[in-house]
Every structure is written in C-alpha cells, then in structure tokens.
Amino acid sequence: MTKRISILVILAAFSMTVAISANSPGTITDTANQSLTTQQSVRHDMTNYVLTDSSSYITPQTLVVNGKKLDVHPLQINHCLLVPARAVSDALGFTTTWHADEQSVTIIGSSMKTTQYLGVDFSNAVTTISGADGMTSPTSFGAPPVLVNNTAYVPVEIFKIIQGNDPSTLTITDTMIELKKR
C-alpha cells in the first residue's frame, strides 16, 4: 500500500511539472522591474508581482456575475483567465481580505476559503464549516495571480473551486465569462 501511494505521489508531482512546463511563458514584471516568466512564478520567494502593461492581456469577454455585467476587464495569461478578486467576490457575496505583508488575497465563500499569493501558480481551498476538516487538492491553473493598478487578479476557476467545484457556477464562452453563486 505504501509503495502504491508513493508511486501516485510521484506521478502527481510529475504531472504538475509537465503542466507547468508546457505553458508558454508570459512576462510579468516584479516591483524591482525584473522581467520574469510565469514558468518562474511558482517560486514562493518572488513577491510583488505587478503586471505593468495589461493591455495585451485583456480579453474581449464580458464578465457577468449573478446576472450582472461587471465593468472590469478579465485578463488571459497562458490560456488562464484572471479576474479582479474583490469585484467578483463582492458580486458573489463573498469576503475578500488583502494581506500586503504576504502579497496575498484571501477569498471566503459560504463553505470554503482560499488564499491566493501573487506570483504563485498553486491553489487550493479549505473548508470553513465549523467542526469539519477538508481541503481540495493543489491545483495549477497555468498563470499566477498578479497585481494590476493595485487590483489583485486571480484565476477565475478558483471561484468554482470554492463553491464545491460545482460546474454550474462557471460558464466560459468566446464572448462571456459567467459566474453564479451556488
């Protein structure tokens, strides 16, 4: 049994490595104005990721949350859609907290929460249900959360995950990104 678990852990680690390295690198600039690729962004010691020119990453898709169009621009980096954490959280009725010292944003939904770190493409969520234990498996979306004009952008998929991975909470088409509260 232990040997089987070890093999599964090795396969999972290999799969994550392949998924990360398969992404074409996008350029993100940290606050020291050093060019970095999103492939490098999985390092936890790189802080203050700031996207200095977001115009080339803006998608043509409209962002709709609970039937209301938000006046914000989603971004796409390495085939990963990113949305403003606070605007989407507020529209879903979730709580959002910015942690400047950690360069992270915590999003708390009705039964799960996540903390997203700038420059780290590694996400999970944990339960907020009192007396319950549980968390999702770590996930890489292909691009790390970034800061644009003092706004934290996170992968849109995280909002589906903190709603129990319910597929009805997120719909993506060529023209629209739609999120619904479960």
Side-chain angles (χ1 to χ4, degrees):
M1 182 69 167
T2 304
K3 189 174 189 178
R4 182 182 171 129
I5 291 172
S6 296
I7 291 171
L8 290 174
V9 169
I10 290 168
L11 285 173
F14 176 74
S15 295
M16 276 185 67
T17 303
V18 170
I20 291 168
S21 64
N23 295 318
S24 59
T27 301
I28 296 174
T29 306
D30 71 7
T31 54
N33 290 323
Q34 299 170 341
S35 264
L36 307 166
T37 67
T38 53
Q39 289 177 342
Q40 294 169 317
S41 67
V42 294
R43 291 184 45 194
H44 290 270
D45 60 342
M46 292 182 181
T47 57
N48 302 319
Y49 278 80
V50 177
L51 195 58
T52 55
D53 179 15
S54 63
S55 61
S56 61
Y57 295 102
I58 293 174
T59 71
Q61 293 150 305
T62 302
L63 181 58
V64 176
V65 181
N66 285 332
K68 180 182 174 192
K69 179 184 173 205
L70 299 187
D71 190 23
V72 297
H73 299 287
L75 305 177
Q76 183 171 353
I77 300 174
N78 291 343
H79 305 289
C80 177
L81 294 168
L82 295 110
V83 294
R86 185 167 306 276
V88 172
S89 291
D90 288 352
L92 288 170
F94 296 167
T95 303
T96 307
T97 306
W98 171 251
H99 309 281
D101 56 329
E102 295 179 349
Q103 296 289 286
S104 66
V105 60
T106 298
I107 303 165
I108 303 173
S110 54
S111 63
M112 298 194 88
K113 72 176 180 177
T114 184
T115 298
Q116 300 289 297
Y117 295 88
L118 295 185
V120 179
D121 182 14
F122 189 77
S123 301
N124 71 334
V126 297
T127 186
T128 59
I129 300 170
S130 180
D133 291 328
M135 73 184 285
T136 64
S137 58
T139 303
S140 169
F141 295 113
V146 296
L147 202 61
V148 178
N149 298 326
N150 294 319
T151 300
Y153 278 72
V154 298
V156 70
E157 291 280 340
I158 199 65
F159 289 99
K160 181 173 87 174
I161 288 176
I162 62 174
Q163 295 191 83
N165 218 14
D166 183 342
S168 70
T169 61
L170 176 62
T171 304
I172 300 172
T173 68
D174 290 340
T175 59
M176 184 172 54
I177 300 168
E178 184 177 16
L179 281 157
K180 297 176 188 173
K181 187 171 182 179
R182 178 172 72 153

